[in-house]
């Protein structure tokens, strides 16, 4: 017996010695290729470029990795326990490796499929994620083991766990639990429910296959397994478990969403920051603060959405995209009887995304994915239509029944053309059919069919004194594209351009009282292709008309004759002072009607000259940039005063761009820089134009709409091009200029009876109802060198003492006879 014990003792010692020797040999063999474990502790997390409004609301996040690191103490217990239950419940007890896991892993490694999965403690996953490749080999597994031991000796458990949850990839560009919580639920990690915490933990192993966006059913199954593990490990009570497993998977419908939609400006900022500083900005946690005011931006989006919808309804109900082919007759029969079996057939096989099967649920999800998502609307696919109700499949794959309502759908007359509609619908048969993809609008009391407007809009709001941009909407929320209509669309400006023609006249010896005969005329302009017989939009002619009245009523004939008298070249030379490029101004009489093509940004800047008493300022959209430690990278100042910290010193964005420090500190100008410190237009001229435009906002259809604002210190001008291809309203307070454009991207007609006053102006009024709340009533200050004089209405000249039919009008002093 003693010999047996002695044999076993020496045998075990030999095996142990051999194991130690083998381990030492392997360690020495691998050591030259092992990364320094200090890389784990010193490695800075890649944090994406984040873009905010001026008041700190997130509007964009760019970079390969979306990451929002948090400390161990900030991690909720349910989230900690969910990861421990899913990945490594012995984490706080072992020394970095799991022996049983290693044995399983090595068995897999020598199998036909290689080292796939298993044997990975949280410590090993941290090592793997930070300093090793993803190669599935025995060598890599051995490296993991050695480095896991080394990490455990150099960092405590809480530090390792913190590294883990902040670095792990959880799908959809989200790295770390805080980013995943925001991506999938629009919450912080502290706000997550138990079920949501388990769902995030379920993504740790294979986020491409267990993915709540693409495979909610598979994700729910994995989530419930983790909840079961948490119950077994006594992390949660049985009651908590029952509540959590019954909770539906309610993920965000649009994982690209931010706190506020400013995607067009955010994209512009992204492009310019990367152009200046290079790709480093994607990963170093920089924060860019734009000039946008979040409340005004939100109001701009809301105003555009509501008013475009109103316009769209005036033109009828359009036929919908139909996807009847994705259903069989049997599918529709079953679903119309609230039998969901067609959606569950082949479910288990369908959600292996390495081998996707063509099942109904896949076809349905692809249909939803191919149609635009909007936070303001619900979406559905029509299943069955009856006279008084219809059934549709919603985004949660539930059948909903909607009842007919005569009052709600009286607007939905069939669209025939932009100027023609059919009769009012009598029931749902007149509107939809099975397979139609529909949008629905919900209120507190009901839900009803709606449709997505085809027209587009742009809005830009600026401070005319500083040039900072307060609101920037490059397209409606009904379109998820990035085409920026504020800066990159160049529609004709229509009558909104007329104030600049009149300004050039007032600077060249004309007065607001000067008369132009508003009568029919045919022009033979050598710059036009044929004879031209212009008309006023009313179709009427008003005879001798004062220039003030011509601009207030936007009379085409008066504007054209005025330009002809003034001279096109002289007018263009003066109009270019407002910031319009001289070579882009038309050289024919159509200039008077706004035939020039300019972006909403250019128009807003030019109206800013009127609001700012003759000063032209450049528009800028970034106020400051901070690095991850709060150091200043950029601060908007005049170029010679910009004292941004030395983080950008001696730095180039790309070698071939040779971006210098000076260039990196230049203001983020929206348009080509044109401003200078000198006044570009006589302030007396801008005062006269401003006074007339204030009158324009108080009269006619414009006045009826602006009266709701109850302000006398606002001014502006409508604009409508031929066939209403574009409609405009540019209006201003002394401290805020807002330009609104509404049209279509292919410049088709918006309808015969649509004008700037019927489409663009209502958006402007809605927006300004909020914007004006914080703007004090402007005091009218008459600049020196201009006077009110008594004028004869019949002649437009300064009245004689005996004249009866007179009124007071503004004159430049040099135009008043001595």
């Amino acid at each position: 017996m003693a010999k047996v014990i002695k044999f076993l003792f020496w045998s075990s010692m030999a095996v142990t010695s051999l194991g130690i020797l083998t381990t030492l040999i392997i360690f020495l063999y691998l050591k030259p290729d092992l990364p320094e474990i200090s890389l784990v502790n010193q490695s800075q997390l890649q944090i994406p470029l984040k873009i905010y409004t001026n008041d700190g609301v997130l509007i964009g996040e760019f970079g390969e990795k979306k990451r929002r690191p948090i400390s161990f103490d900030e991690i909720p217990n349910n989230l900690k326990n969910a990861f421990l239950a899913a990945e490594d419940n012995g984490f706080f007890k072992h020394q970095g490796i799991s022996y049983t896991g290693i044995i399983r892993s090595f068995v897999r490694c020598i199998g036909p499929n290689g080292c796939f999965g298993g044997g990975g403690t949280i410590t090993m996953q941290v090592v793997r994620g930070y300093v090793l490749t993803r190669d599935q080999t025995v060598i890599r597994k051995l490296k993991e083991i050695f480095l896991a031991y080394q990490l455990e000796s150099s960092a405590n458990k809480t530090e390792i766990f913190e590294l883990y949850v902040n670095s792990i990839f959880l799908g959809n560009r989200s790295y770390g639990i805080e980013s995943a919580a925001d991506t999938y639920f629009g919450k912080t990690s502290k706000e997550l429910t138990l079920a949501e915490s388990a769902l995030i933990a379920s993504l740790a192993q294979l986020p491409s296959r267990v993915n709540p966006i693409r495979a909610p059913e598979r994700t729910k199954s994995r989530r419930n397994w983790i909840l079961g593990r948490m119950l077994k490990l006594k992390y949660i009570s049985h009651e908590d478990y029952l509540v959590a497993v019954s909770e539906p998977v309610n993920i965000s419908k649009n994982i690209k969403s931010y706190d506020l939609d400013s995607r067009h400006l955010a994209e512009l900022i992204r492009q310019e920051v990367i152009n200046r500083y290079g790709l480093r900005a994607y990963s170093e946690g920089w924060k860019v603060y734009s000039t946008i005011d979040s409340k005004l931006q939100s109001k701009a989006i809301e105003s555009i959405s509501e008013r475009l919808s109103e316009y769209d309804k005036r033109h009828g109900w359009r036929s919908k995209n139909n996807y009847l082919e994705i259903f069989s007759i049997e599918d529709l029969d079953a679903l119309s009887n609230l039998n969901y079996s067609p959606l569950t057939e082949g479910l288990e096989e369908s959600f292996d995304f390495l081998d996707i099967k063509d099942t109904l649920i896949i076809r349905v999800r692809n249909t939803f994915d191919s149609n635009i998502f909007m936070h303001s609307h619900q979406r559905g696919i029509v299943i069955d239509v009856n006279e008084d109700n219809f059934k549709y499949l919603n985004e949660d794959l539930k059948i909903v029944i909607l009842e007919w309502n005569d009052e709600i759908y009286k607007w939905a007359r069939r669209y025939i053309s932009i100027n023609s509609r059919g009769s009012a619908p009598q029931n749902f048969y007149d509107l939809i059919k099975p397979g139609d993809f529909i949008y629905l609008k919900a209120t507190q009391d009901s839900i009803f069919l709606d449709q997505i407007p085809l027209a587009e809009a742009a809005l830009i709001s600026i401070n005319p004194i500083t040039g900072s941009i307060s609101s920037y909407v490059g397209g409606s929320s009904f379109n998820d594209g990035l085409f920026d209509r504020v800066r990159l669309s160049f529609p004709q400006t229509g009558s909104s351009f007329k104030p600049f023609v009149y300004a050039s006249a007032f600077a060249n010896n004309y007065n607001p009282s000067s008369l132009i005969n508003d009568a029919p005329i045919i022009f033979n302009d050598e710059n036009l292709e044929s004879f031209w017989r212009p008309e006023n939009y009313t179709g009427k002619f008003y005879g001798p008309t004062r220039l003030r009245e011509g601009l207030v009523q936007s009379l085409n004939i008066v504007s054209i004759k005025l330009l002809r008298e003034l001279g096109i070249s002289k007018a263009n030379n003066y109009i270019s002072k407002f910031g319009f490029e001289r070579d882009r101004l038309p050289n024919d009489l159509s200039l008077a009607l706004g035939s020039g093509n300019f972006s909403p940004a250019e128009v807003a800047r030019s109206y800013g000259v009127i609001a700012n008493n003759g000063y032209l300022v450049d528009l800028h959209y970034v106020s400051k940039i901070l690095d991850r430690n709060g150091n200043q990278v950029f601060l908007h100042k005049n170029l010679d005063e910009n004292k941004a910290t030395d983080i950008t010193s001696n730095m180039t964005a790309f070698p071939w761009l040779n971006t210098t420090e000076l260039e990196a500190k230049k203001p983020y100008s929206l348009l080509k820089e044109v401003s200078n410190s000198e006044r570009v237009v006589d302030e007396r001229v801008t005062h006269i134009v401003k006074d007339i435009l204030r009158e324009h906002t108080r009269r006619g259809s414009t006045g009826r709409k602006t009266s709701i604002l109850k302000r006398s210190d606002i001014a502006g001008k409508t604009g409508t091009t031929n066939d209403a291809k574009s409609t405009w309203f540019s209006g201003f307070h002394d401290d805020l200029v807002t330009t609104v454009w509404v049209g279509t991207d292919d410049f088709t007609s918006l309808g015969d009876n649509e004008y700037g006053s019927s489409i663009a102006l209502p958006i402007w009024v809605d927006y300004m109802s909020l914007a004006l709340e914080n703007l004090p009533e402007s005091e009218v200050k008459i600049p020196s060198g201009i006077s009110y004089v008594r004028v004869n209405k019949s002649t437009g000249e300064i009245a004689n003492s005996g004249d009866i039919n007179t009124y007071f009008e503004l004159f430049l002093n040099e135009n008043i006879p001595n």
Side-chain angles (χ1 to χ4, degrees), residues 102-204:
I102 288 174
I103 293 172
R104 287 196 304 268
S105 182
F106 276 113
V107 169
R108 288 192 180 98
C109 284
I110 62 176
N113 296 322
C115 302
F116 184 79
T121 64
I122 284 177
T123 306
M124 294 171 72
Q125 290 186 54
V126 169
V127 168
R128 184 189 312 155
Y130 273 81
V131 294
L132 295 176
T133 69
R134 307 299 293 182
D135 298 335
Q136 301 288 348
T137 65
V138 174
I139 296 298
R140 197 215 67 185
K141 184 61 69 175
L142 290 170
K143 289 181 179 180
E144 279 184 30
I145 294 170
F146 287 122
L147 288 175
Y149 274 122
Q150 193 173 348
L151 177 57
E152 289 272 347
S153 66
S154 62
N156 62 46
K157 288 289 188 179
T158 59
E159 291 173 333
I160 295 171
F161 192 84
E162 184 179 306
L163 285 168
Y164 173 68
V165 297
N166 282 321
S167 65
I168 188 170
F169 177 58
L170 295 169
N172 293 295
R173 294 196 307 115
S174 297
Y175 286 75
I177 55 178
E178 193 68 16
S179 179
D182 179 70
T183 294
Y184 296 114
F185 300 108
K187 298 179 178 182
T188 65
S189 60
K190 292 181 179 180
E191 297 170 322
L192 295 174
T193 66
L194 171 58
E196 290 167 345
S197 297
L199 186 144
I200 287 178
S202 74
L203 307 176

Side-chain angles (χ1 to χ4, degrees), residues 458-505:
L459 181 150
I460 180 172
S461 192
I462 67 170
N463 183 316
I465 301 170
T466 67
S468 65
I469 298 171
S470 301
S471 300
Y472 192 106
V473 182
S476 75
S477 60
F478 302 114
N479 186 328
D480 62 356
L482 285 175
F483 178 61
D484 184 354
R485 296 162 187 82
V486 166
R487 188 173 56 97
L488 301 178
S489 182
F490 300 92
Q492 289 187 338
T493 53
S495 295
S496 65
F497 191 82
K498 288 176 180 175
F500 306 108
V501 175
Y502 281 74
S504 65

Side-chain angles (χ1 to χ4, degrees), residues 198-411:
L199 186 144
I200 287 178
S202 74
L203 307 176
Q205 286 297 322
L206 289 171
S208 62
R209 297 178 66 187
V210 180
N211 187 309
I213 305 295
R214 300 178 64 190
E217 290 79 10
R218 179 186 284 274
T219 304
K220 184 176 181 180
S221 176
R222 172 72 175 170
R223 179 203 72 176
N224 290 348
W225 178 85
I226 292 174
L227 289 169
R229 285 274 297 162
M230 295 177 74
L231 175 63
K232 182 178 179 180
L233 294 168
K234 298 183 179 180
Y235 293 154
I236 59 175
S237 67
H238 188 69
E239 182 180 14
D240 291 337
Y241 169 78
L242 292 176
V243 172
V245 295
S246 64
E247 185 175 308
V249 178
N250 292 322
I251 62 167
S252 172
K253 295 296 190 299
N254 184 6
I255 64 173
K256 297 179 182 177
S257 65
Y258 297 103
D259 299 336
L260 181 67
D261 182 8
S262 299
R263 61 187 184 276
H264 299 95
L265 187 64
E267 172 62 16
L268 174 61
I269 292 173
R270 180 197 70 80
Q271 293 176 9
E272 185 57 26
V273 168
I274 298 303
N275 181 55
R276 295 189 185 198
Y277 304 111
L279 298 178
R280 60 178 296 190
Y282 274 149
S283 60
E284 296 193 1
W286 287 10
K287 295 180 179 180
V288 181
Y289 289 85
S290 71
T291 57
I292 294 297
D293 181 297
S294 64
K295 292 182 180 178
L296 294 184
Q297 180 75 3
S298 179
K299 185 64 176 178
I301 295 167
E302 174 190 321
S303 301
I304 287 174
S305 177
E306 291 183 358
R307 295 304 183 175
L308 281 188
S309 184
E310 286 181 4
Y311 157 77
D312 191 68
K313 286 179 170 59
R314 291 200 292 268
H315 295 273
W317 175 265
R318 298 184 301 277
S319 59
K320 308 304 167 197
N321 293 334
N322 189 271
Y323 298 91
L324 186 62
E325 71 278 0
I326 72 173
F327 301 96
S328 67
I329 296 176
E330 292 75 19
D331 291 338
L332 291 175
D333 287 343
L335 292 172
S336 65
N337 289 311
L338 306 184
N339 176 358
Y340 291 91
S341 60
L343 295 173
T344 59
E345 291 177 1
L347 189 61
E348 292 301 320
E349 300 83 8
S350 302
F351 286 93
D352 181 354
F353 282 99
L354 300 177
D355 183 23
I356 297 176
K357 304 295 193 299
D358 182 26
T359 62
L360 178 59
I361 195 169
I362 290 292
R363 295 195 296 271
V364 167
R365 290 201 184 282
N366 288 341
T367 300
F368 278 105
D369 289 344
S370 66
N371 287 273
I372 184 174
F373 166 83
M374 294 183 300
H375 285 290
S376 58
H377 286 70
Q378 298 177 20
R379 300 180 297 175
I381 303 173
V382 176
I383 298 300
D384 184 40
V385 181
N386 297 297
E387 187 172 324
D388 297 324
N389 62 59
F390 75 95
K391 299 183 182 74
Y392 68 93
L393 187 66
N394 69 12
E395 295 174 77
D396 296 322
L397 304 185
K398 302 296 182 184
I399 301 295
V400 181
I401 302 176
L402 198 62
E403 302 293 332
W404 175 260
N405 185 307
D406 285 325
E407 186 64 23
I408 288 177
Y409 299 113
K410 64 182 181 181
W411 69 269

